[in-house]
Amino acid sequence: MTRKYFGTDGIRGRVAQPPMTPEFALKLGWAAGRVLAETSAHPLVVIGKDTRLSGYLFESALEAGFAAAGVSVAMVGPMPTPAVAYLTRTFRASAGVVISASHNAYEDNGFKFFSGDGRKLPDDVELRIEALLDQPLAMVAPEAIGKAQRIDDAAGRYVEFCKRSVALSVSLTGLKLVVDCANGAAYRVAPEVFREIGASVQTLATEPDGFNINRDCGSTHLDRLRTEVLRSGAHAGVALDGDGDRCLMVDREGRTVDGDQLLYVIARSRHERQKLRGPVVGTLMSNLGLERGLAQLGIPFERAAVGDRYVLDKLEELGGTIGGESSGHIICLDRSTTGDGIISALQVLMAMTHAGRSLAELVAPMEKYPQVLINVPVSGAAKALVQSAAVQSAIRDGEKRLAGKGRLLLRPSGTEPLVRVMVECADARESRETAEFVAARVREAADGGKARAT
């Protein structure tokens, strides 16, 4: 069944444009509540949000929708996405919802759902919610209306949860960190976690005003963090995104350490301490350098489709515990049920303390391959174009040019009318030339298909 609203990471859009309207939020809460009421006599939903101005509006509308369906809610206010996943389990709730558009600007917002076990909602549940969105809203009887409460100690609970993700014997005393909280959901809890484990913490972007979330800060804008790490002589910088589920870092020399490199550091540290279970899981977009760097250590590596839910599915299928994306969305499944920027950073900092080495030294053995990504706009169905004979021929010719020295990937965008052409190999010039060669062939195929259609 084709999804109308839910994507790989919930529902997202521009505020005041469908589906991000108060009417839709009200209906979504009611529809989700109806589905939850089918499996629980007294369902409870935890609702969290990031720091966007529109979060207040959608929080109220969503709460009203749940109440109309007879579902009670526990509202925790601004809280990282992984915190809501954790609190959903802690409160034995039926589900959790985060009102956030992650790393997007304040003009966007969205809804992310978790099941009672703190994992993304199963596909069949999302489809049942979508089916009810087309039905008229019918309230429960007055005596069955859901109640609402605010949880005052949610932040403290989550701080303790994050601290428990590292051993009691681990101390960050002596480490100087700069932590960029993206003016987002982690602006209070992240500095507190690192400080309570012993680090000296300087903060950036911890003054949200409803509009400045992710603006020139956080994991999508590292320049300010890089400058401050160099100025202050910090050992490392930590950059979170707006909802706190992603983390990138900067080493003491100001160099970016992306999600693939962080994954390598965590996996290697666990492998050396004989605490790594199962293969490491990346995605189709993970750098070839990660795969080959892990292979040199004897660590198996598997690729999943792009999207954290697919990484999680592959980890559970193969019995692994560590996986993630180059964007910094890293899952430590033995620590949390979803990607958690704070916990990911703690795992890296723990690796530094165990090895007694700097972040740059831990990253050095992994050689990143130059990666070129070209987006080719198409007018028709991107998936059908990729599967066409002309594009398949272009793929074969591109792979011949690489001659086993690199990797070529074509994939249709799931959100835009684009075909993404990605090439990586040790030679940056060869990566660029091969990507441009294949992209030109894709454009020819797209133009030819349009001509034939007319």
Side-chain angles (χ1 to χ4, degrees):
M1 182 176 174
T2 303
R3 298 168 185 266
K4 185 177 180 181
Y5 299 109
F6 282 95
T8 58
D9 199 21
I11 299 169
R12 190 178 300 181
R14 182 58 56 100
V15 173
Q17 298 178 14
M20 296 309 301
T21 64
E23 295 90 349
F24 179 83
L26 175 70
K27 193 71 174 292
L28 178 65
W30 172 80
R34 282 282 304 274
V35 172
L36 295 174
E38 295 172 2
T39 57
S40 175
H42 303 285
L44 172 70
V45 173
V46 175
I47 300 178
K49 60 182 180 180
D50 63 24
T51 56
R52 294 161 213 272
L53 181 63
S54 60
Y56 293 97
L57 181 154
F58 291 123
E59 179 186 51
S60 297
L62 198 64
E63 181 270 322
F66 279 119
V71 175
S72 295
V73 300
M75 294 182 287
V76 299
M79 199 65 59
T81 288
V84 175
Y86 162 69
L87 293 167
T88 298
R89 302 197 313 274
T90 296
F91 288 117
R92 307 297 193 269
S94 304
V97 188
V98 184
I99 303 167
S100 174
S102 189
H103 57 281
N104 290 21
Y106 83 93
E107 293 94 342
D108 294 338
N109 217 328
F111 305 100
K112 300 182 181 183
F113 282 79
F114 292 102
S115 59
D117 61 1
R119 287 170 164 77
K120 297 290 178 68
L121 282 185
D123 291 345
D124 65 312
V125 176
E126 290 183 348
L127 291 172
R128 285 159 59 199
I129 293 173
E130 287 208 352
L132 280 172
L133 285 169
D134 294 327
Q135 303 297 316
L137 190 154
M139 275 188 61
V140 296
E143 65 273 13
I145 292 174
K147 300 177 181 179
Q149 60 177 319
R150 289 204 173 268
I151 307 299
D152 296 327
D153 64 344
R157 288 172 181 249
Y158 178 61
V159 166
E160 290 303 314
F161 170 71
C162 290
K163 289 166 58 180
R164 289 197 301 271
S165 71
V166 297
L168 286 173
S169 59
V170 173
S171 172
L172 302 183
T173 301
L175 273 183
K176 184 175 183 179
L177 304 176
V178 181
V179 180
D180 184 340
C181 298
N183 288 315
Y187 79 101
R188 290 184 200 167
V189 294
E192 188 172 347
V193 169
F194 296 118
R195 286 188 179 120
E196 290 194 12
I197 304 180
S200 171
V201 177
Q202 177 182 337
T203 60
L204 295 176
T206 55
E207 298 180 350
D209 61 10
F211 304 97
N212 60 4
I213 185 171
N214 299 312
R215 182 193 295 166
D216 300 324
C217 59
S219 62
T220 53
H221 300 88
L222 296 177
D223 287 348
R224 187 180 172 196
L225 177 63
R226 185 178 294 110
T227 298
E228 199 54 39
V229 167
L230 292 172
R231 188 202 65 78
S232 65
H235 294 92
V238 176
L240 304 172
D241 68 340
D243 72 329
D245 64 354
R246 298 187 189 191
C247 166
L248 295 184
M249 295 183 71
V250 170
D251 70 21
R252 67 189 313 165
E253 303 300 324
R255 291 172 295 222
T256 299
V257 182
D258 69 13
D260 289 337
Q261 294 168 306
L262 295 178
L263 198 55
Y264 173 83
V265 170
I266 296 170
R268 180 179 181 179
S269 177
R270 292 191 175 201
H271 177 70
E272 290 175 346
R273 293 181 289 118
Q274 299 184 334
K275 293 184 179 295
L276 182 64
R277 188 175 78 244
V280 174
V281 174
T283 74
L284 296 173
M285 299 300 290
S286 297
N287 195 276
L288 187 58
L290 171 62
E291 180 176 348
R292 296 193 172 176
L294 293 175
Q296 291 174 357
L297 299 172
I299 299 174
F301 177 77
E302 297 286 341
R303 293 182 185 270
V306 176
D308 62 289
R309 69 186 302 156
Y310 303 116
V311 173
L312 177 59
D313 288 346
K314 183 71 74 172
L315 284 172
E316 293 181 328
E317 173 191 342
L318 301 176
T321 55
I322 307 295
E325 302 180 277
S326 56
S327 62
H329 198 288
I330 296 173
I331 301 173
C332 298
L333 199 52
D334 54 350
R335 302 296 198 274
S336 181
T337 58
T338 189
D340 190 313
I342 296 174
I343 287 179
S344 299
L346 286 175
Q347 295 302 299
V348 174
L349 296 171
M350 185 169 63
M352 291 168 60
T353 61
H354 278 304
R357 300 166 70 188
S358 70
L359 180 56
E361 290 173 320
L362 293 179
V363 169
M366 178 190 146
E367 180 183 356
K368 281 189 68 176
Y369 280 54
Q371 190 177 87
V372 177
L373 177 65
I374 299 177
N375 292 322
V376 182
V378 298
S379 57
K383 185 174 182 180
L385 181 64
V386 170
Q387 295 172 344
S388 69
V391 172
Q392 289 298 310
S393 175
I395 293 173
R396 290 192 293 271
D397 290 344
E399 290 173 340
K400 288 178 183 177
R401 290 172 66 111
L402 292 173
K405 296 178 292 184
R407 193 167 67 96
L408 167 64
L409 174 69
L410 265 73
R411 69 181 186 92
S413 169
T415 57
E416 302 173 88
L418 299 171
V419 172
R420 306 193 192 279
V421 179
M422 189 278 289
V423 175
E424 58 184 1
C425 68
D427 188 313
R429 180 178 177 182
E430 192 166 6
S431 293
R432 168 60 61 182
E433 290 179 349
T434 302
E436 290 175 346
F437 166 79
V438 175
R441 294 275 294 273
V442 173
R443 289 190 192 96
E444 290 175 8
D447 291 341
K450 183 178 180 180
R452 285 190 296 273
T454 56

